[in-house]
Amino acid sequence: MKQFTKYIVILIATVVLLAACQNKPENGDKGSNSSKSSSNDGNSKDKLVLYAAGPDNLVNDMVKQFEKQTGKKVQVFQGTTGEILGRLEAEKDNPKADVVQLASLPAALDYKKKGLIEPYKVKNHKKLYKDWIDKDGYYYGFSGSALGLSYNTKNVKNPPKDVKDLTQSKFKNKIAIPDPSESGTALDLLSIKVNNEGSKAWDEYKALKQNGMKLAGANKPALESVIKGDNDVVYGGVDYMVYAAKAKGEPVDIKYPKSGTAISPRPAFILKSSKHKELAKKYMNYVTSSKGQKQVDDHYLIPADKTAEKKKGKAKLKDIKEYKYDWNHLSDKSEKVLKKFTELMR
């Protein structure tokens, strides 16, 4: 975990320096590094303050329904996982957030270790995937995203079935991967693949590099590069973004590697410094409830409650071959793996 903490510090420093100059969203909607609220009276006394990594449309829909259900207002800061972590670090002496939602699980593990999370058992906890949640209620992976081979349906008539297929000459200089230094889910996949396959994984990445694999920024620009046809395939594409783009008529689809892939639980947790703990508990109950989980499913993410998986046009969790891994073990090695990958891509 110390290694991961170092990585987070580096990430936060980068975010603080660059946030004023650019915004690189992880989600499938328009990114934002500004606060949004359904009430603009400036008084946050009775408001829940939520820091959330998208997709923005899902966050907005959940907040709207939660406000309607409770009669309480929610003030929202939407940004990438890195931007949220940077803002939390900057506000550590004067914390403002009550609930945090991220796109990748390791940061939640780090916050738990540091004693920054208020544990709470949600009402629906027994229906949620056990390996997505903390048994003592410190965090809840209330949604998840699987990573796959996103491809342009106009350019690719016979989509790749596995990562090794991308080493074929027909994909020369037409493949990319989201940058693990910018995308938490890309770092998850990289760490998990190396953990499972060891030197075989590194040999595969080297072969992909030799075939012209490029870094395509965070998840959204990586997907846009496929939609525009700049790349034929992106390895490590976030599935819910692809499904949403496909539903809008974009020429894109996704396949999951037959050898296995990573599924990233997207955690939500209450900060110990929260000034509105009872309202925060109600929000946690909502996002993990049947209504909240239906909204997760409606936005093409994988719900933590498997009974909510009903959305057509996307794969179900049971249909995706997933690598086996332990998040705590992976978090300890993420910095080392990222450093080696960065050196490989130079």
mmCIF file of all heavy atoms in Angstrom, residues 124-144:
data_model
loop_
_atom_site.group_PDB
_atom_site.id
_atom_site.type_symbol
_atom_site.label_atom_id
_atom_site.label_comp_id
_atom_site.label_asym_id
_atom_site.label_seq_id
_atom_site.Cartn_x
_atom_site.Cartn_y
_atom_site.Cartn_z
ATOM 1 N N ASN A 124 -28.834 -2.588 1.878
ATOM 2 C CA ASN A 124 -28.838 -3.608 0.824
ATOM 3 C C ASN A 124 -27.514 -4.370 0.723
ATOM 4 O O ASN A 124 -27.261 -5.042 -0.284
ATOM 5 C CB ASN A 124 -29.149 -2.946 -0.530
ATOM 6 C CG ASN A 124 -29.695 -3.912 -1.559
ATOM 7 O OD1 ASN A 124 -30.416 -4.845 -1.222
ATOM 8 N ND2 ASN A 124 -29.351 -3.707 -2.818
ATOM 9 N N HIS A 125 -26.662 -4.292 1.759
ATOM 10 C CA HIS A 125 -25.297 -4.812 1.627
ATOM 11 C C HIS A 125 -25.238 -6.308 1.338
ATOM 12 O O HIS A 125 -24.328 -6.793 0.670
ATOM 13 C CB HIS A 125 -24.464 -4.467 2.867
ATOM 14 C CG HIS A 125 -24.778 -5.278 4.075
ATOM 15 N ND1 HIS A 125 -25.805 -4.940 4.940
ATOM 16 C CD2 HIS A 125 -24.216 -6.410 4.577
ATOM 17 C CE1 HIS A 125 -25.849 -5.815 5.919
ATOM 18 N NE2 HIS A 125 -24.918 -6.727 5.720
ATOM 19 N N LYS A 126 -26.220 -7.069 1.794
ATOM 20 C CA LYS A 126 -26.194 -8.518 1.584
ATOM 21 C C LYS A 126 -26.455 -8.913 0.133
ATOM 22 O O LYS A 126 -26.147 -10.033 -0.271
ATOM 23 C CB LYS A 126 -27.223 -9.193 2.489
ATOM 24 C CG LYS A 126 -26.861 -9.141 3.967
ATOM 25 C CD LYS A 126 -27.880 -9.899 4.810
ATOM 26 C CE LYS A 126 -27.497 -9.871 6.284
ATOM 27 N NZ LYS A 126 -28.489 -10.599 7.119
ATOM 28 N N LYS A 127 -27.010 -7.987 -0.666
ATOM 29 C CA LYS A 127 -27.320 -8.280 -2.061
ATOM 30 C C LYS A 127 -26.194 -7.868 -3.013
ATOM 31 O O LYS A 127 -26.270 -8.136 -4.212
ATOM 32 C CB LYS A 127 -28.612 -7.573 -2.474
ATOM 33 C CG LYS A 127 -29.863 -8.131 -1.807
ATOM 34 C CD LYS A 127 -31.102 -7.462 -2.381
ATOM 35 C CE LYS A 127 -32.379 -8.025 -1.771
ATOM 36 N NZ LYS A 127 -33.589 -7.385 -2.342
ATOM 37 N N LEU A 128 -25.167 -7.214 -2.487
ATOM 38 C CA LEU A 128 -24.093 -6.691 -3.327
ATOM 39 C C LEU A 128 -22.946 -7.694 -3.446
ATOM 40 O O LEU A 128 -22.715 -8.504 -2.551
ATOM 41 C CB LEU A 128 -23.576 -5.372 -2.746
ATOM 42 C CG LEU A 128 -24.643 -4.315 -2.435
ATOM 43 C CD1 LEU A 128 -23.995 -3.077 -1.844
ATOM 44 C CD2 LEU A 128 -25.449 -3.961 -3.684
ATOM 45 N N TYR A 129 -22.210 -7.623 -4.568
ATOM 46 C CA TYR A 129 -21.076 -8.518 -4.762
ATOM 47 C C TYR A 129 -20.084 -8.353 -3.608
ATOM 48 O O TYR A 129 -19.599 -7.246 -3.348
ATOM 49 C CB TYR A 129 -20.375 -8.214 -6.083
ATOM 50 C CG TYR A 129 -21.174 -8.602 -7.311
ATOM 51 C CD1 TYR A 129 -21.522 -7.651 -8.267
ATOM 52 C CD2 TYR A 129 -21.583 -9.915 -7.517
ATOM 53 C CE1 TYR A 129 -22.253 -8.000 -9.403
ATOM 54 C CE2 TYR A 129 -22.318 -10.276 -8.638
ATOM 55 C CZ TYR A 129 -22.644 -9.310 -9.571
ATOM 56 O OH TYR A 129 -23.374 -9.659 -10.685
ATOM 57 N N LYS A 130 -19.770 -9.452 -2.940
ATOM 58 C CA LYS A 130 -18.936 -9.396 -1.741
ATOM 59 C C LYS A 130 -17.537 -8.849 -2.008
ATOM 60 O O LYS A 130 -16.966 -8.156 -1.152
ATOM 61 C CB LYS A 130 -18.842 -10.792 -1.116
ATOM 62 C CG LYS A 130 -20.148 -11.277 -0.495
ATOM 63 C CD LYS A 130 -19.966 -12.641 0.159
ATOM 64 C CE LYS A 130 -21.276 -13.107 0.791
ATOM 65 N NZ LYS A 130 -21.137 -14.451 1.422
ATOM 66 N N ASP A 131 -16.977 -9.170 -3.175
ATOM 67 C CA ASP A 131 -15.621 -8.701 -3.450
ATOM 68 C C ASP A 131 -15.589 -7.263 -3.976
ATOM 69 O O ASP A 131 -14.521 -6.734 -4.279
ATOM 70 C CB ASP A 131 -14.895 -9.643 -4.413
ATOM 71 C CG ASP A 131 -15.659 -9.861 -5.703
ATOM 72 O OD1 ASP A 131 -16.836 -9.478 -5.776
ATOM 73 O OD2 ASP A 131 -15.072 -10.410 -6.649
ATOM 74 N N TRP A 132 -16.764 -6.619 -4.057
ATOM 75 C CA TRP A 132 -16.822 -5.220 -4.464
ATOM 76 C C TRP A 132 -16.983 -4.294 -3.264
ATOM 77 O O TRP A 132 -16.899 -3.077 -3.411
ATOM 78 C CB TRP A 132 -17.995 -4.985 -5.416
ATOM 79 C CG TRP A 132 -17.781 -5.490 -6.796
ATOM 80 C CD1 TRP A 132 -16.917 -6.461 -7.210
ATOM 81 C CD2 TRP A 132 -18.466 -5.047 -7.980
ATOM 82 N NE1 TRP A 132 -17.016 -6.663 -8.559
ATOM 83 C CE2 TRP A 132 -17.962 -5.811 -9.054
ATOM 84 C CE3 TRP A 132 -19.458 -4.102 -8.213
ATOM 85 C CZ2 TRP A 132 -18.418 -5.641 -10.359
ATOM 86 C CZ3 TRP A 132 -19.906 -3.936 -9.516
ATOM 87 C CH2 TRP A 132 -19.395 -4.697 -10.577
ATOM 88 N N ILE A 133 -17.243 -4.855 -2.115
ATOM 89 C CA ILE A 133 -17.526 -4.026 -0.940
ATOM 90 C C ILE A 133 -16.636 -4.424 0.231
ATOM 91 O O ILE A 133 -16.086 -5.526 0.269
ATOM 92 C CB ILE A 133 -19.005 -4.128 -0.522
ATOM 93 C CG1 ILE A 133 -19.325 -5.542 0.003
ATOM 94 C CG2 ILE A 133 -19.920 -3.778 -1.690
ATOM 95 C CD1 ILE A 133 -20.746 -5.690 0.529
ATOM 96 N N ASP A 134 -16.495 -3.529 1.167
ATOM 97 C CA ASP A 134 -15.756 -3.827 2.386
ATOM 98 C C ASP A 134 -16.696 -4.483 3.396
ATOM 99 O O ASP A 134 -17.811 -3.987 3.625
ATOM 100 C CB ASP A 134 -15.179 -2.539 2.968
ATOM 101 C CG ASP A 134 -14.380 -2.791 4.235
ATOM 102 O OD1 ASP A 134 -13.220 -3.205 4.117
ATOM 103 O OD2 ASP A 134 -14.951 -2.572 5.331
ATOM 104 N N LYS A 135 -16.279 -5.588 3.990
ATOM 105 C CA LYS A 135 -17.161 -6.347 4.882
ATOM 106 C C LYS A 135 -17.586 -5.546 6.110
ATOM 107 O O LYS A 135 -18.616 -5.827 6.720
ATOM 108 C CB LYS A 135 -16.486 -7.653 5.316
ATOM 109 C CG LYS A 135 -15.218 -7.482 6.126
ATOM 110 C CD LYS A 135 -14.617 -8.841 6.451
ATOM 111 C CE LYS A 135 -13.335 -8.713 7.263
ATOM 112 N NZ LYS A 135 -13.566 -8.119 8.589
ATOM 113 N N ASP A 136 -16.802 -4.532 6.463
ATOM 114 C CA ASP A 136 -17.140 -3.698 7.618
ATOM 115 C C ASP A 136 -17.800 -2.377 7.220
ATOM 116 O O ASP A 136 -18.017 -1.510 8.070
ATOM 117 C CB ASP A 136 -15.882 -3.419 8.445
ATOM 118 C CG ASP A 136 -15.295 -4.699 9.022
ATOM 119 O OD1 ASP A 136 -16.071 -5.516 9.549
ATOM 120 O OD2 ASP A 136 -14.060 -4.884 8.926
ATOM 121 N N GLY A 137 -18.073 -2.215 5.925
ATOM 122 C CA GLY A 137 -18.811 -1.042 5.469
ATOM 123 C C GLY A 137 -17.991 0.201 5.202
ATOM 124 O O GLY A 137 -18.538 1.303 5.149
ATOM 125 N N TYR A 138 -16.681 0.050 4.992
ATOM 126 C CA TYR A 138 -15.859 1.235 4.741
ATOM 127 C C TYR A 138 -16.056 1.795 3.330
ATOM 128 O O TYR A 138 -15.944 2.998 3.116
ATOM 129 C CB TYR A 138 -14.385 0.921 4.976
ATOM 130 C CG TYR A 138 -14.006 0.915 6.439
ATOM 131 C CD1 TYR A 138 -14.129 -0.245 7.201
ATOM 132 C CD2 TYR A 138 -13.553 2.066 7.065
ATOM 133 C CE1 TYR A 138 -13.796 -0.252 8.548
ATOM 134 C CE2 TYR A 138 -13.221 2.076 8.411
ATOM 135 C CZ TYR A 138 -13.351 0.905 9.148
ATOM 136 O OH TYR A 138 -13.033 0.912 10.481
ATOM 137 N N TYR A 139 -16.331 0.935 2.368
ATOM 138 C CA TYR A 139 -16.588 1.406 1.004
ATOM 139 C C TYR A 139 -17.490 0.407 0.295
ATOM 140 O O TYR A 139 -17.591 -0.769 0.679
ATOM 141 C CB TYR A 139 -15.283 1.577 0.215
ATOM 142 C CG TYR A 139 -14.467 0.311 0.098
ATOM 143 C CD1 TYR A 139 -14.782 -0.669 -0.850
ATOM 144 C CD2 TYR A 139 -13.387 0.080 0.944
ATOM 145 C CE1 TYR A 139 -14.060 -1.839 -0.941
ATOM 146 C CE2 TYR A 139 -12.652 -1.091 0.851
ATOM 147 C CZ TYR A 139 -12.994 -2.048 -0.096
ATOM 148 O OH TYR A 139 -12.269 -3.213 -0.183
ATOM 149 N N TYR A 140 -18.138 0.890 -0.768
ATOM 150 C CA TYR A 140 -19.042 0.060 -1.555
ATOM 151 C C TYR A 140 -18.780 0.300 -3.031
ATOM 152 O O TYR A 140 -18.932 1.426 -3.514
ATOM 153 C CB TYR A 140 -20.506 0.389 -1.240
ATOM 154 C CG TYR A 140 -20.901 -0.013 0.148
ATOM 155 C CD1 TYR A 140 -20.715 0.878 1.219
ATOM 156 C CD2 TYR A 140 -21.425 -1.275 0.415
ATOM 157 C CE1 TYR A 140 -21.044 0.501 2.518
ATOM 158 C CE2 TYR A 140 -21.754 -1.651 1.715
ATOM 159 C CZ TYR A 140 -21.561 -0.759 2.759
ATOM 160 O OH TYR A 140 -21.879 -1.135 4.039
ATOM 161 N N GLY A 141 -18.353 -0.744 -3.734
ATOM 162 C CA GLY A 141 -18.288 -0.668 -5.184
ATOM 163 C C GLY A 141 -19.709 -0.794 -5.702
ATOM 164 O O GLY A 141 -20.197 -1.896 -5.944
ATOM 165 N N PHE A 142 -20.398 0.338 -5.847
ATOM 166 C CA PHE A 142 -21.823 0.309 -6.188
ATOM 167 C C PHE A 142 -22.054 0.108 -7.679
ATOM 168 O O PHE A 142 -23.179 -0.153 -8.121
ATOM 169 C CB PHE A 142 -22.512 1.590 -5.709
ATOM 170 C CG PHE A 142 -22.136 2.818 -6.495
ATOM 171 C CD1 PHE A 142 -22.955 3.295 -7.495
ATOM 172 C CD2 PHE A 142 -20.952 3.497 -6.227
ATOM 173 C CE1 PHE A 142 -22.612 4.415 -8.228
ATOM 174 C CE2 PHE A 142 -20.603 4.622 -6.943
ATOM 175 C CZ PHE A 142 -21.426 5.086 -7.947
ATOM 176 N N SER A 143 -20.989 0.236 -8.466
ATOM 177 C CA SER A 143 -21.073 0.005 -9.909
ATOM 178 C C SER A 143 -19.708 -0.482 -10.373
ATOM 179 O O SER A 143 -18.718 -0.392 -9.639
ATOM 180 C CB SER A 143 -21.461 1.289 -10.646
ATOM 181 O OG SER A 143 -20.464 2.292 -10.470
ATOM 182 N N GLY A 144 -19.662 -1.004 -11.581
ATOM 183 C CA GLY A 144 -18.397 -1.498 -12.103
ATOM 184 C C GLY A 144 -18.318 -1.338 -13.607
ATOM 185 O O GLY A 144 -19.340 -1.208 -14.297
#
